[in-house]
Amino acid sequence: MSKPKILVVEDNAMNLELVSDVLEAHGYQVIQADTGQKALEIAGREQPDLILMDIQLPEMDGLEVTRLLKENEQTSHIRVIALTAHAMRGDEERAREAGCSGYIAKPINTREFAAVIAGYLGDPQGDLGGKV
Ligand code: MN
């Protein structure tokens, strides 16, 4: 079984490394993008199993990137999970309206993060069933 591939879109280098490290430690293959434009290119080319999308990005924000991913038939099937530091009222609703399937608040809880991701990937064993 190949490792699930996750595209992490995050402009903050420390957050990008933290999220990537946690995912890699749990056996996921991680691809990184630090802008929305790169995320669109990489998602089409790499066909990740899941996309984690920072909402606050320079130039094009994560909601706009998600809308474009959902409009493109090459990427519309890929689940997008919003990542945001601003857990404000209405944020989750806006993320869902843009096409996100879920919502994770930053800073991430590193103990629970992998299980949450496994849930979005539909892996009932979590942690890839320890087969890593
Ligand atoms: Mn950001």
Side-chain angles (χ1 to χ4, degrees):
M1 191 180 107
S2 63
K3 294 178 177 184
K5 192 190 290 187
I6 301 180
L7 170 59
V8 181
V9 187
E10 168 65 84
D11 63 313
N12 179 289
M14 280 179 60
N15 286 338
L16 182 58
E17 281 313 304
L18 174 64
V19 170
S20 300
D21 286 352
V22 172
L23 292 173
E24 284 170 353
H26 287 269
Y28 296 109
Q29 183 186 344
V30 176
I31 325 168
Q32 302 179 331
D34 61 3
T35 68
Q37 191 57 50
K38 286 182 200 170
L40 293 171
E41 293 164 11
I42 293 170
R45 190 175 69 230
E46 297 283 339
Q47 295 289 301
D49 298 292
L50 189 72
I51 299 174
L52 298 181
M53 180 69 67
D54 180 24
I55 297 305
Q56 285 79 34
L57 292 169
E59 297 160 31
M60 196 190 315
D61 75 20
L63 297 178
E64 182 61 21
V65 181
T66 301
R67 285 186 201 102
L68 292 171
L69 288 166
K70 293 297 165 180
E71 284 171 9
N72 183 334
E73 64 180 18
Q74 280 190 300
T75 53
S76 58
H77 62 287
I78 306 170
R79 265 186 178 174
V80 179
I81 307 302
L83 276 177
T84 178
H86 299 278
M88 298 193 310
R89 183 184 293 267
D91 272 7
E92 180 164 9
E93 193 183 334
R94 275 190 287 277
R96 289 190 187 278
E97 281 170 3
C100 294
S101 301
Y103 181 93
I104 296 174
K106 294 192 289 188
I108 63 163
N109 178 330
T110 56
R111 287 170 179 270
E112 295 175 1
F113 189 66
V116 172
I117 297 304
Y120 285 124
L121 282 164
D123 174 4
Q125 301 281 302
D127 211 10
L128 306 184
K131 285 179 290 213
V132 179

